[in-house]
Amino acid sequence: MSVPAIPSQVVYIVDDDADIRDALALLMRSAGLSAASFPSARDFLARVTPRDSGCLVLDIRMPGTSGIELQAEMRKRRIELPIIFLTGHGDVPLAVKALKAGAADFIQKPLEEHRLVMAVTQALKEDACRPRSEDPADNPPDDRLASLSRREREVLQEMVHGRQSREIAETLCISIKTVEFHRANIREKLGTTNLADLFRLVFKQE
């Protein structure tokens, strides 16, 4: 399956397992995407800058700097590449933490190749639309809205248009479980319990 992408976009892969790195890079290239792989967070950070475009496929558990720690370091360095975490069966609590910190999605092992390619495709679309300079729309004036991650704002936008979790999942190419994580986090951050409150909060900014 070939996926159109901006020529400069790269799918970055960070995993300490060489076989997994090679398999993922081959999968991305077979989908018509550019791929670059790294065995550690340190190697990745030595190569990537805030100006780079693409997305990151990241193992959540690695020796040395973990995937969660790399996500935090990227935020400090203003590297805003969308992150898709690869997680084991017992890593759901870590994945929830990653989503709350702004990750685009997480996919459990063993990986479904089609599911991963679709998630990467959506992440690349998000990155293509990401402002490369200061954009007032990216920093809403309400402090509560400003606390939302980019993905949470996308889910919120779908929510205020009345879409259900399944529809949101299909639109954003993420799992229903991921949508539910974001919805709960949005309610917690905004301090709202119903759609009416969400409408008032969102539309008073327009």
Side-chain angles (χ1 to χ4, degrees):
M1 180 176 71
S2 181
V3 179
I6 298 174
S8 61
Q9 287 186 307
V10 175
V11 180
Y12 299 97
I13 300 161
V14 178
D15 197 301
D16 61 297
D17 187 313
D19 290 338
I20 291 178
R21 288 199 308 274
D22 291 345
L24 291 177
L26 180 61
L27 175 63
M28 294 302 114
R29 289 169 185 144
S30 70
L33 303 170
S34 297
S37 58
F38 304 88
S40 69
R42 181 179 62 182
D43 292 322
F44 170 76
L45 290 171
R47 160 67 176 80
V48 177
T49 73
R51 295 184 299 276
D52 289 310
S53 178
C55 72
L56 172 60
V57 178
L58 176 61
D59 189 11
I60 207 163
R61 287 190 184 274
M62 297 186 294
T65 303
S66 70
I68 293 290
E69 291 169 336
L70 174 54
Q71 181 187 32
E73 183 61 28
M74 289 171 64
R75 192 160 55 247
K76 290 179 184 176
R77 299 188 184 200
R78 300 185 181 278
I79 299 172
E80 298 183 357
L81 295 173
I83 301 174
I84 300 166
F85 276 100
L86 305 182
T87 70
H89 179 70
D91 291 333
V92 172
L94 280 177
V96 173
K97 181 178 179 180
L99 289 172
K100 287 184 175 182
D105 204 351
F106 76 91
I107 298 177
Q108 288 184 290
K109 301 173 183 177
L111 302 174
E112 296 181 20
E113 293 186 353
H114 177 73
R115 168 87 172 82
L116 178 57
V117 171
M118 291 299 294
V120 166
T121 303
Q122 181 62 26
L124 292 175
K125 289 178 181 177
E126 289 177 22
D127 179 73
C129 298
R130 173 167 57 91
R132 260 57 183 184
S133 58
E134 192 69 15
D135 183 348
D138 198 47
N139 295 285
D142 189 288
D143 289 343
R144 289 175 294 170
L145 289 176
S147 72
L148 300 181
S149 69
R150 185 179 300 277
R151 175 66 89 185
E152 287 165 352
R153 291 200 291 273
E154 290 173 345
V155 172
L156 175 60
Q157 191 66 28
E158 297 296 320
M159 289 171 64
V160 298
H161 281 88
R163 297 188 176 94
Q164 300 301 310
S165 292
R166 183 175 298 278
E167 297 174 292
I168 297 172
E170 292 174 354
T171 299
L172 300 180
C173 296
I174 57 180
S175 69
I176 295 176
K177 183 183 292 186
T178 299
V179 172
E180 292 299 332
F181 284 142
H182 286 310
R183 291 181 73 125
N185 209 35
I186 289 167
R187 288 193 294 269
E188 180 182 342
K189 287 184 176 180
L190 301 186
T192 59
T193 58
N194 55 59
L195 275 177
D197 290 340
L198 284 176
F199 272 104
R200 282 192 289 270
L201 181 60
V202 171
F203 291 109
K204 77 176 184 180
Q205 305 299 322
E206 297 186 352

